[in-house]
Amino acid sequence: MLGRLNHVAIAVPNLGAAVLLYRKSLEAIVTAPQRLPEHGVTVVFVELPNTKIELLEPLGEDSPIAAFLLKNPSGGMHHICYEVENIIKSRDHLIASGARILGDGEPKIGAHGKPVLFLHPKDFFGTLIELEQA
Ligand code: CO
């Protein structure tokens, strides 16, 4: 089911400062900020030769990232995103295997304009997993 690693996401308290650090200190290529109100985040992507790093900060009142940053005030690794060919098939297989899908279980459109789903971290060794239909 799993395809390529699409990205690793890091939650940050200040996206502007994080972008500067990645650009100046790490000399990385970073995309322009993208607001995703449906996901409660603003994101940028650090473009690497073999994958991407997503930097995200909370957007709006009930952002899921706000609670994460309360527990991890300086930021931290938030999720990893794997590509799948068919997100509905993958979801149904995962549900049949006993895994829990976050939210209403329906894919939302993610930062790349493609459908995404999140899997419950307690079902995957404490790791929040995002699936993106490639
Ligand atoms: Co992501």
Side-chain angles (χ1 to χ4, degrees):
M1 176 197 304
L2 290 186
R4 298 187 326 149
L5 172 69
N6 187 279
H7 61 267
V8 175
I10 300 170
V12 302
N14 182 323
L15 192 59
V19 167
L20 261 183
L21 188 73
Y22 266 80
R23 282 194 179 136
K24 298 246 158 150
S25 303
L26 297 172
E27 300 183 324
I29 297 165
V30 185
T31 62
Q34 207 181 337
R35 293 159 66 90
L36 301 173
E38 208 186 337
H39 296 274
V41 294
T42 303
V43 304
V44 300
F45 286 93
V46 178
E47 295 181 338
L48 305 177
N50 62 338
T51 189
K52 297 184 276 290
I53 304 298
E54 179 181 59
L55 303 176
L56 43 102
E57 80 174 356
L59 172 67
E61 286 303 302
D62 39 52
S63 169
I65 305 305
F68 180 90
L69 285 173
L70 272 180
K71 281 185 248 163
N72 309 274
S74 53
M77 216 205 84
H78 186 262
H79 65 266
I80 54 179
C81 176
Y82 298 121
E83 295 179 0
V84 295
E85 258 176 47
N86 182 324
I87 202 160
I88 298 297
K89 254 175 89 175
S90 297
R91 177 197 62 189
D92 294 347
H93 171 76
L94 283 157
I95 291 172
S97 321
R100 289 167 288 177
I101 312 295
L102 296 189
D104 63 6
E106 293 306 316
K108 287 184 187 171
I109 297 303
H112 305 112
K114 295 174 177 169
V116 301
L117 280 176
F118 287 89
L119 311 181
H120 201 299
K122 290 211 167 114
D123 296 339
F124 294 94
F125 313 106
T127 308
L128 177 59
I129 292 177
E130 177 179 19
L131 297 180
E132 178 176 302
Q133 186 164 292

